Structure formats: C-alpha cells, structure tokens
Amino acid sequence: MPLYGDKAREVGARLAALGVREEDLDESFVHSGGKGGQNVNKVATCVVLLHRPSGVAIKCQRERTQLANRLIARKMLADRIEEIRLGAASKRQQEAERVRRQKRRRSRRAKQRMLRDKHAQSDKKAARGPVGRDD
C-alpha cells in the first residue's frame, strides 16, 4: 500500500537519493505493545522494515496508527542508512560531538580567565555606592 501526502513524498525522495528502492524493502506488521489501549492490542500497528541489501532492520511502534508508523519507520531507515554511508559527517555523529564538546572541562587558563572577569565585574558593581535619596 503506497504512502500519500507531502511528508511521504519528501521521505520517498530522501530514500531515492540514498539509493533505496521500495522493491528492496520487506515490510511486515505486528501487534504493538504498551500505551494505546485496545487499538494497539487488537490491530497490527507496529511496523518492521527490513532493507535487504544493507541488512538494516527498523521497528517502529511510536504512534497508534499503522500509516504513521510506516512513515516514521521510513524516516528512521533513511537516517540509519545516511549514518552508515556518511559516518562522521552524519547528523547524529555531529550532535554527539557537539554535546561532547559542551561537556568537556575548561582548561585551567580558561577557567582562571573566566573567574578573573567575574571578579572584575563584581568589583565594578561593588564600587557603585548605595543609591541614596535626595531629601
């Protein structure tokens, strides 16, 4: 069953740019679990997507509807294949590297400079006298 809509076309174009064809995908549906009430317990809304050439398998049960999960699974597949192909240049790797840099400790010199600037600002504020009234 083909996917329709702007988002589906966008994901389809992204997969096509990565060289992923619909014929290479094995799509199966299973019962989801967790939140969602009777819908997820009775309807096979969980999507399992397998890209045969690369061996990448994606399982998506984020939403309550099968159609939404099919779209999300394809986005996840595009992300995974992009990550494999691009390696260090992928978005996920760049985000992880950015977080790692933010968490890194400051060097001793940078820490001293930062504290010196704070003390200078504090001294500047302390030098200002109390605001008095003109009576």
Side-chain angles (χ1 to χ4, degrees), residues 29-46 64 66:
F29 307 101
V30 294
H31 287 286
S32 295
K35 297 176 185 172
Q38 290 180 341
N39 184 61
V40 295
N41 296 327
K42 290 172 21 180
V43 182
T45 55
C46 180
R64 286 184 58 181
Q66 190 181 83

Side-chain angles (χ1 to χ4, degrees), residues 1 6 11 31 56 97 108-109 127:
M1 185 170 110
D6 293 337
V11 172
H31 287 286
V56 174
E97 182 65 21
R108 179 173 286 141
R109 183 179 296 167

Side-chain angles (χ1 to χ4, degrees), residues 2-14 71 74-75:
L3 295 168
Y4 297 104
D6 293 337
K7 290 184 180 180
R9 278 191 291 276
E10 184 181 306
V11 172
R14 188 171 167 209
L71 189 62
R74 279 169 172 71
K75 283 182 187 176

Side-chain angles (χ1 to χ4, degrees), residues 39-132:
N39 184 61
V40 295
N41 296 327
K42 290 172 21 180
V43 182
T45 55
C46 180
V47 177
V48 179
L49 203 57
L50 173 68
H51 183 240
R52 286 188 301 260
S54 65
V56 174
I58 301 290
K59 184 177 181 183
C60 179
Q61 59 180 12
R62 194 178 300 173
E63 298 293 328
R64 286 184 58 181
T65 63
Q66 190 181 83
L67 194 63
N69 283 331
R70 289 180 72 205
L71 189 62
I72 293 170
R74 279 169 172 71
K75 283 182 187 176
M76 291 167 68
L77 178 70
D79 290 342
R80 182 82 51 85
I81 290 176
E82 201 172 71
E83 183 180 332
I84 291 168
R85 295 230 174 109
L86 298 178
S90 72
K91 287 181 184 176
R92 185 186 292 180
Q93 291 278 29
Q94 288 176 352
E95 181 66 20
E97 182 65 21
R98 185 182 67 81
V99 169
R100 190 184 69 74
R101 281 194 309 267
Q102 283 178 343
K103 289 184 176 182
R104 188 173 53 201
R105 291 182 61 171
R106 293 180 192 267
S107 68
R108 179 173 286 141
R109 183 179 296 167
K111 193 172 182 181
Q112 287 173 346
R113 186 181 331 125
M114 186 253 317
L115 288 173
R116 187 177 60 237
D117 291 343
K118 280 189 167 201
H119 286 303
Q121 185 68 22
S122 173
D123 293 342
K124 193 188 305 181
K125 283 188 171 188
R128 299 177 190 152
V131 179

Side-chain angles (χ1 to χ4, degrees), residues 17-31:
L18 290 169
V20 177
R21 301 178 310 164
E22 277 294 322
E23 301 85 46
D24 295 339
L25 299 177
D26 281 336
E27 189 174 40
S28 57
F29 307 101
V30 294
H31 287 286

